[in-house]
Amino acid sequence: RTTIMPTFDEKQNIQHYISIRTDITSQIELSEKLHKAERMATIGELSGRIVHDIRNPLSVIGMSLENLKIKYGTNNPKEDQFDKIERSIDRINYQINEILDFIRERPVEMSKEKISEIIFESLDSMIVPDNIELILPKNDTELFCNKKQFSLVITNLISNGIQAIDGTGTIEVTVEKNNDAIVIQVKDSGSGINSRDIDKIFDPLFSTKQKGTGLGLASVQAIVDAHGGIISVTSPPTIFTITLPQTLE
């Protein structure tokens, strides 16, 4: 911000101009953070209401479908229709879970956990296709974190990599430890992120996927922030980098 003031002589004629510049970068950044926090709170409140309104009738649909499958059995013309309904229910549940992960309060309890066990718990909740080679870190180290929340981070990043790969490919997870930080990277061999989208992928509700809610990576960033870390992305190739402090104890 620049303020310009004139100086006058004894006859009130302008002699000079004085320019005063003030760095207001921190004020702008604080304003942007407050605006983002207000937006996130509004999104969270609205999302919670929507999830509640959807989950109850969805449960009724699911139970009714199971009754129909029992009544008609398998190997009948209606089976394909039942499968379509079941896949649609699974898709809605996937979106509901993404919303719940986003609006759920982050646990504050943290403990020392091995990265190998975090990755194992992440992989236990997902299926890696046979056409994708998953390369895991050979070294192991301890993180000071909430295990369930950080498993969600790894699950989300690996899932994104799987969805980004068309055909055969690789996803590589690496871990490095130095004197100040622990750096975790998830790299995939997919086509990469469009340059016009890369600055927006952590924004709530932004998604390039047909079935996405746009809350998955926003949740990842919120969890990493709660752990005192930083997450960034470069592409291509797409590499998500998480930098965590050695300890928050």
Side-chain angles (χ1 to χ4, degrees):
R1 182 171 57 193
T2 302
T3 303
I4 299 176
M5 299 181 296
T7 61
F8 303 90
D9 61 14
E10 55 188 16
K11 296 181 179 179
Q12 296 301 304
N13 295 317
I14 296 175
Q15 294 293 300
H16 305 284
Y17 288 93
I18 299 174
S19 176
I20 301 175
R21 292 185 177 181
T22 306
D23 185 354
I24 59 170
T25 302
S26 59
Q27 296 177 34
I28 294 174
E29 290 176 347
L30 178 60
S31 177
E32 290 175 348
K33 287 180 180 179
L34 290 173
H35 177 71
K36 183 177 181 180
E38 291 174 357
R39 186 179 175 216
M40 297 273 273
T42 302
I43 291 172
E45 183 178 354
L46 179 60
S47 299
R49 292 177 183 175
I50 292 173
V51 165
H52 182 268
D53 291 341
I54 291 176
R55 177 151 275 181
N56 290 337
L58 190 65
S59 298
V60 174
I61 294 171
M63 288 186 292
S64 300
L65 177 62
E66 289 301 317
N67 291 333
L68 288 172
K69 289 168 73 174
I70 293 172
K71 178 179 180 179
Y72 289 99
T74 58
N75 300 321
N76 67 78
K78 296 181 174 63
E79 188 175 1
D80 288 342
Q81 296 177 5
F82 291 160
D83 289 341
K84 288 181 180 179
I85 296 172
E86 192 167 27
R87 286 195 297 271
S88 296
I89 292 174
D90 289 342
R91 177 175 171 180
I92 296 171
N93 272 321
Y94 172 86
Q95 294 176 325
I96 286 175
N97 289 332
E98 270 204 333
I99 293 171
L100 288 174
D101 288 337
F102 175 72
I103 64 177
R104 189 177 289 125
E105 290 186 7
R106 307 297 171 196
V108 295
E109 290 126 356
M110 298 186 186
S111 58
K112 287 186 177 180
E113 305 288 348
K114 290 184 177 180
I115 185 65
S116 59
E117 294 179 1
I118 292 173
I119 294 174
F120 176 80
E121 184 169 312
S122 302
L123 296 177
D124 194 44
S125 64
M126 60 193 300
I127 298 175
V128 179
D130 294 336
N131 60 305
I132 294 178
E133 180 187 6
L134 184 59
I135 304 172
L136 300 179
K138 296 179 180 179
N139 57 319
D140 201 0
T141 190
E142 287 186 331
L143 306 179
F144 190 66
C145 66
N146 181 279
K147 187 176 183 180
K148 290 190 179 296
Q149 289 296 330
F150 220 81
S151 294
L152 179 63
V153 168
I154 302 299
T155 299
N156 196 297
L157 295 181
I158 293 178
S159 296
N160 278 1
I162 292 172
Q163 294 172 26
I165 294 173
D166 185 13
T168 60
T170 60
I171 297 174
E172 182 178 8
V173 182
T174 61
V175 180
E176 293 183 3
K177 183 177 182 180
N178 55 41
N179 293 332
D180 302 317
I182 296 170
V183 180
I184 303 168
Q185 289 190 326
V186 180
K187 174 184 176 182
D188 70 67
S189 62
S191 58
I193 303 170
N194 195 300
S195 58
R196 68 172 179 269
D197 295 333
I198 198 164
D199 291 333
K200 298 181 286 186
I201 62 171
F202 293 111
D203 292 348
L205 305 184
F206 177 80
S207 178
T208 59
K209 296 180 288 188
Q210 184 180 0
K211 71 172 184 178
T213 60
L215 296 176
L217 287 176
S219 296
V220 166
Q221 186 178 52
I223 293 170
V224 174
D225 287 347
H227 283 72
I230 299 171
I231 184 169
S232 61
V233 61
T234 57
S235 187
T238 301
I239 304 174
F240 284 92
T241 301
I242 299 172
T243 305
L244 295 169
Q246 285 274 22
T247 179
L248 291 178
E249 292 178 288

